[in-house]
Amino acid sequence: METSVPDERQALLDQGDRELTRSSKSCQQQQRQPVKMNGAEDKHLVGDSHDETLSVGKFTVSGGAVMDRDEGTVTPGQLGSPHQGQGEELHSGFDNSILLPQLEIAIYLRDQTVIHVTMEEGQQARAEDLIEVVLTEQKLPPEARTMFCLWLVSPLLELRLKPHHKPFFLVSQWADLCDKYTEEDADDIAKDEPMLMFQRDVFFPRQQEAQVRDRETLLYLYQEAKFNVLEGRYVVSPEDYHRLAGISAVIHLGRFDRKSHISAFYRSSLEQFYPDFMLKKKWSFSGLWSKNSDDGLSSHLEAAHTRVSDQYQSGELHQVLPELYRAYLNILYKYPFYGGAFFTGDIDRTSRLQFLKGFQDKPVWISISTDGVTVIDREKNEVLLALPYETFSWQYKEAKKVDDPPILYLQFVCPESAHNTKLLIVDSYQAKLMDALIETCVNLKIQKYNTPAEDTVDSTLPSPSSENTIDPFRTCANKLDRLCLETLTPEGEKV
């Protein structure tokens, strides 16, 4: 077994090649009161499960899957439940009786460290066996088993593996899975190769994560969080972007040194600490393209680096690194999308440009975490809507036409009326995946509070504020004026 570790700074930069997305599986079917929308009998406040194999959210225009898999067959399952679902099977065509004597397996970490391990009959290696390899090799504590899991990750598709899953057999049918769960053409699918990745489990609660103190565990949580910030999925305030950049600068560059950390140095280092959309060129009145760095971004980075250096000036740097990791994570805990699975979709525009071809839809991220759902404008990189599970219902609907995507309805209480509700329509090929993940998260919340499944638009689960923990949904103000919403009466009629 050997571990190769690249330069930490460069490795973190190189991670921008792919966007991670995550999802869950369907949970057990429940009976509940239907919610009427527009006169139709629509369900989902606590969510019907679907006997389907599920996939994760798309990377740009591609997607992924989370499977329950036994050797040569992929079957639907239930994440967070010991019971296996029944449904469609997808066969890989691989002969399980053919076993190679040895198999070298590479397990990637978020800093692009690679753990190489050679295993006898490695085709039969289970995810739980490989997790143990990582825990031992990286000296992680036993409780890390509940915080992290293995994923198969590629630019097209991601699979969250359960402990009993065998990665080799999933890889052997990767092309079939990409064909089934992405929109990519055959050429792109043929070129796609997955990596076995060790990363945070989407179902690990942030409240428990906030109690973690182990140095190595904090390091891996920090590395994954920084990856998501640089990828532009964690959309935070400008002040928090600068604060996060300042913390990372101290971690990777050391404390501020006036002699070596000059303005030109910061201008050349911006991409290490800010997402691409903050570095994009802007059109100026002079008719020339100018970069944000010329507008003072490097000055913000220098100032943040200086402030954080002053704040953590006592002791050797290696001694305060855990505090810096924790400070970075604490900033992100304020936001509802932290630790969530990201999906792509489209919503209608409110702009007068709707009638023009190509301007009908607004691309959005839909982040689903254990706390709720967040809709993020992918063009303007801002949060449009953030809803805790206690405040909305949802409904999945199949597409009416073959070439159209399915629909996810999000129905929530109307701010200006205690009786009416608002309805957001999300078009997405991953609508069913989002539906199942929301249901699983709500069921976990119900189990936590031992609350009967019911319509939470009319009667709520315990309020997040009653837990005496951070309420991330207060951080993001909903921008309803930028959403194309329908208003419904309690009878489901349009207003």
Side-chain angles (χ1 to χ4, degrees), residues 253-270:
L253 305 178
R255 294 188 177 96
F256 176 75
D257 181 349
R258 191 174 302 277
K259 293 182 179 179
S260 58
H261 297 147
I262 60 177
S263 297
F265 173 80
Y266 288 109
R267 283 195 294 270
S268 64
S269 304
L270 290 175

Side-chain angles (χ1 to χ4, degrees), residues 389-405:
Y389 291 120
E390 297 80 5
T391 63
F392 74 94
S393 66
W394 76 97
Q395 161 72 17
Y396 167 79
K397 188 174 182 180
E398 291 283 358
K400 293 182 178 179
K401 299 180 181 179
V402 175
D403 295 332
D404 290 343

Side-chain angles (χ1 to χ4, degrees), residues 39 223 234 299 315 332 335 494:
Q223 288 169 341
Y234 286 178
S299 298
L332 295 174
Y335 293 91
K494 291 184 180 180

Side-chain angles (χ1 to χ4, degrees), residues 58 113 139 150 182 195 256 299 337 365 372 416 435 490:
K58 297 184 197 173
T113 297
K139 298 180 174 59
L150 288 182
T182 76
M195 295 190 303
F256 176 75
S299 298
F337 42 72
W365 286 116
E416 62 268 18
D435 169 42

Side-chain angles (χ1 to χ4, degrees), residues 18-22 56-59 110 158 199 224 227-236 241 275 277 337-338 340-343 365-367 374 376 378 381 383:
R18 58 182 57 81
E19 297 190 5
L20 298 182
T21 51
R22 294 172 275 210
V56 233
K58 297 184 197 173
F59 164 56
R110 264 292 146 225
E158 294 188 2
Q199 62 188 43
E224 185 170 342
F227 172 84
N228 286 320
V229 169
L230 295 183
E231 287 297 294
R233 293 195 297 154
Y234 286 178
V235 180
V236 302
Y241 272 126
F277 73 84
F337 42 72
Y338 177 79
F342 280 72
F343 303 85
W365 286 116
I366 300 92
S367 171
T374 307
I376 301 171
R378 294 176 57 196
N381 300 290
V383 174

Side-chain angles (χ1 to χ4, degrees), residues 51-56 58 62-67 74-76 87-91 156-157 159 173-186 189 429-430 432-433:
D51 288 331
E52 291 285 338
T53 304
L54 302 177
S55 65
V56 233
K58 297 184 197 173
S62 57
V66 178
M67 304 295 177
V74 174
T75 59
E88 179 186 2
E89 295 185 351
L90 180 60
H91 297 274
L156 302 187
L157 183 66
L159 308 179
Q173 61 168 1
W174 193 253
D176 292 334
L177 294 171
C178 289
D179 181 63
K180 185 177 180 67
Y181 294 103
T182 76
E183 302 174 72
E184 301 302 314
D185 57 36
I189 290 175
Y429 288 99
Q430 298 184 347
K432 180 171 285 189
L433 316 178

Side-chain angles (χ1 to χ4, degrees), residues 154-175:
S154 82
L156 302 187
L157 183 66
E158 294 188 2
L159 308 179
R160 178 193 181 277
L161 305 185
K162 281 189 174 183
H164 67 274
H165 289 159
K166 300 176 182 179
F168 178 82
F169 293 102
L170 280 174
V171 173
S172 70
Q173 61 168 1
W174 193 253

